[in-house]
Amino acid sequence: MSFIEVRNLKKSFGPLEVLKDLTFNVEKNDVLAIIGPSGSGKSTMLRSLIQLEEVEGGSIAVDGDHLVKDGLYAKPADSKKIIAKMGMVFQQFNLFPHLTVKQNLELASKLVKKEQAKEYSDRSIELLEKVGLADKRYEFPSRLSGGQKQRVAIARALMMNPDILLFDEPTSALDPQLTKEVLQVMKKLAEEHMTMIVVTHEMEFASNVANRVIFMDKGLIVEEGNPQEVLKSPKELRTKQFLNY
Ligand code: ADP
Ligand code: MG
């Protein structure tokens, strides 16, 4: 059994079918890059995995547990546990502006018992060190560059020890220099065998860091395989057009 199993996922916004019949797996330690034109349903697919969008049909199983099975959702207490296995990093960082960097990280554990406050404080500093921002822990997000904000968002997503990280175009809002520092952190995570799904337009990252690539278009998976297959010798016309072959 794969770590994540998505079967025949369907989602519409009104008359618009955004996910038509998505089926794919994610294995433990996979770095899966999802590429495709704007509007093809990439964000909706990622958001569906953590129930930010509700699908109308199909199944999502994580680590053997169904978040949704044939369009039927698990009970809230169960879905909460399933979703907690996944951490998400958004294009627009989504940091809380009124909280310091360190408080942004600790917020995730706010509902946890007080006795663990010290543990979470230590962990937040450890993770900020990992992304090279321990010295910024008392700053507010407005004082950080976009690249620093995104690195904080990555550290925050790691706070609750997720089994998988989901990235939705994490560098699209950044200029090339800041993009580089964020991609470096993601590469490091990959080298530490973090399981990741990365929606991205960074073909170099997809090619060098991902072990699998999915090309999506108009709510469908058009082509999937290893980076060499999909990016260097695509079979489908739509993939070729997207990659300018
Ligand atoms: P991508 O991330 O690949 O650019 P999205 O998943 O964001 O694609 O969007 C897929 C399609 O669904 C687009 O046509 C978009 O306009 C539409 N869409 C996304 N979210 C909503 C929403 N909340 N309401 C209506 N339409 C939406
Ligand atoms: Mg998107």
Side-chain angles (χ1 to χ4, degrees), residues 26-94:
V26 183
E27 310 297 335
K28 261 273 150 98
N29 306 336
D30 264 353
V31 177
L32 169 61
I34 312 244
I35 61 170
S38 174
S40 54
K42 304 181 300 294
S43 296
T44 305
M45 186 279 287
L46 271 195
R47 292 166 59 82
S48 299
L49 293 181
I50 53 170
Q51 217 179 336
L52 285 178
E53 303 290 353
E54 296 221 340
V55 297
E56 287 104 37
S59 306
I60 299 170
V62 180
D63 208 5
D65 296 318
H66 275 96
L67 174 67
V68 52
K69 190 172 189 177
D70 300 327
L72 223 60
Y73 274 87
K75 285 183 292 203
D78 295 330
S79 54
K80 223 174 119 184
K81 280 186 207 150
I82 295 167
I83 293 165
K85 295 183 177 188
M86 298 176 272
M88 178 106 162
V89 176
F90 299 89
Q91 183 179 348
Q92 294 298 338
F93 326 123
N94 293 11

Side-chain angles (χ1 to χ4, degrees), residues 34-233:
I34 312 244
I35 61 170
S38 174
S40 54
K42 304 181 300 294
S43 296
T44 305
M45 186 279 287
L46 271 195
R47 292 166 59 82
S48 299
L49 293 181
I50 53 170
Q51 217 179 336
L52 285 178
E53 303 290 353
E54 296 221 340
V55 297
E56 287 104 37
S59 306
I60 299 170
V62 180
D63 208 5
D65 296 318
H66 275 96
L67 174 67
V68 52
K69 190 172 189 177
D70 300 327
L72 223 60
Y73 274 87
K75 285 183 292 203
D78 295 330
S79 54
K80 223 174 119 184
K81 280 186 207 150
I82 295 167
I83 293 165
K85 295 183 177 188
M86 298 176 272
M88 178 106 162
V89 176
F90 299 89
Q91 183 179 348
Q92 294 298 338
F93 326 123
N94 293 11
L95 297 177
F96 294 99
H98 60 293
L99 298 178
T100 65
V101 162
K102 186 162 178 284
Q103 287 168 337
N104 262 280
L105 266 68
E106 288 167 332
L107 188 72
S109 57
K110 224 179 80 179
L111 303 174
V112 178
K113 295 185 204 86
K114 280 225 170 59
E115 303 87 78
Q116 285 178 298
K118 169 81 170 75
E119 195 181 315
Y120 281 107
S121 173
D122 291 349
R123 180 160 172 73
S124 69
I125 291 171
E126 204 178 291
L127 287 170
L128 287 171
E129 272 164 7
K130 191 187 185 87
V131 299
L133 290 171
D135 58 326
K136 301 285 185 199
R137 59 187 178 273
Y138 301 122
E139 296 283 7
F140 286 91
S142 60
R143 305 257 303 161
L144 304 181
S145 74
Q148 291 171 332
K149 283 181 200 166
Q150 197 56 299
R151 282 146 65 202
V152 171
I154 293 172
R156 183 178 62 178
L158 289 166
M159 268 302 277
M160 300 311 281
N161 252 325
D163 293 312
I164 182 169
L165 281 182
L166 315 177
F167 293 87
D168 192 0
E169 300 198 29
T171 61
S172 297
L174 305 177
D175 65 39
Q177 185 51 39
L178 302 182
T179 292
K180 224 165 116 185
E181 68 185 44
V182 171
L183 292 179
Q184 239 146 31
V185 167
M186 293 167 63
K187 183 161 184 258
K188 192 163 94 180
L189 289 171
E191 285 163 358
E192 294 169 1
H193 308 294
M194 187 75 205
T195 309
M196 312 199 272
I197 303 178
V198 186
V199 172
T200 187
H201 293 293
E202 295 291 334
M203 293 308 154
E204 211 180 289
F205 178 86
S207 171
N208 297 334
V209 181
N211 64 313
R212 288 177 53 221
V213 180
I214 282 178
F215 171 65
M216 267 180 78
D217 191 21
K218 300 191 175 81
L220 291 166
I221 292 176
V222 175
E223 189 158 353
E224 72 175 289
N226 65 39
Q228 180 66 30
E229 291 164 342
V230 179
L231 301 176
K232 301 288 187 308
S233 44

